Amino acid sequence: MTQMQVKTYPKGQVLFDYGDSRDRFYFVIKGVIRLERLDETGNFTFINYVKTQTGFPYRGLYSGQEYPYTATALTPITVALLSMSTLEQLIATNPQVTKQVLRQMSFLIDRTETRLQKLVTSSAANRVVQALIVFGTDMGELGENGQVTIPYPITLIELARLSGTTRETAGQVVSKLEAAGKLRYQKKRFCFNPVDLKG
């Protein structure tokens, strides 16, 4: 705790870029961060989101020298920072920390594999629906009757980026879901029941 720093950044702030020296571990106290990486062709984008009470990056522990993606504040954020060498020393010497890190890495692998299976589809409309479900899983708050509310503003452009579609296509799918009573989108905040979206 004595070696941690707490900092606040505005929406849009880049915490680090792909290829920067991987020297800090971040823990999100408030807000959401987008992690993004393009492939060599610049055509395929990997996008992930880190919400409150979650740390990153776990990828590259003890092996990576550079950050494997770019981290950008999707909302105003407050983060705690710890040097990567301090974290790696804690993992090596504290069995409780080791178990927690292994649990988190297992969860991330499972979530990423599931996401890839669901987002790899030729149907743009299905990708938009799956992207909404990803938002719900990554950032949503579960309410009564299975309703998921995403308490952070999500633009249609952000939805299009994750689903690999245009803003127009994402907007059309959202409008159809709203008209069918399966989704509410007010002030850039989504509310839906994932079961309704799948049906």
Side-chain angles (χ1 to χ4, degrees), residues 3-92:
Q3 297 183 50
M4 271 190 178
Q5 292 179 296
V6 175
K7 294 190 175 183
T8 300
Y9 297 103
K11 175 182 177 180
Q13 176 71 45
V14 175
L15 299 180
F16 54 79
D17 277 313
Y18 169 77
D20 284 352
S21 179
R22 192 184 64 88
D23 55 357
R24 292 181 178 172
F25 183 82
Y26 295 80
F27 185 82
V28 183
I29 297 170
K30 182 179 179 185
V32 178
I33 295 169
R34 179 180 60 236
L35 306 179
E36 184 173 18
R37 177 180 178 173
L38 292 172
D39 71 354
E40 293 81 15
T41 66
N43 295 323
F44 177 76
T45 304
F46 169 81
I47 298 177
N48 207 350
Y49 299 93
V50 184
K51 68 176 180 178
T52 302
Q53 302 300 309
T54 308
F56 74 100
Y58 288 99
R59 185 173 168 185
L61 284 172
Y62 298 104
S63 61
Q65 300 300 314
E66 300 172 345
Y67 288 115
Y69 31 65
T70 298
T72 307
L74 190 63
T75 66
I77 58 169
T78 302
V79 293
L81 300 92
L82 184 66
S83 76
M84 198 59 77
S85 59
T86 300
L87 175 68
E88 290 176 348
Q89 183 180 5
L90 277 171
I91 294 169

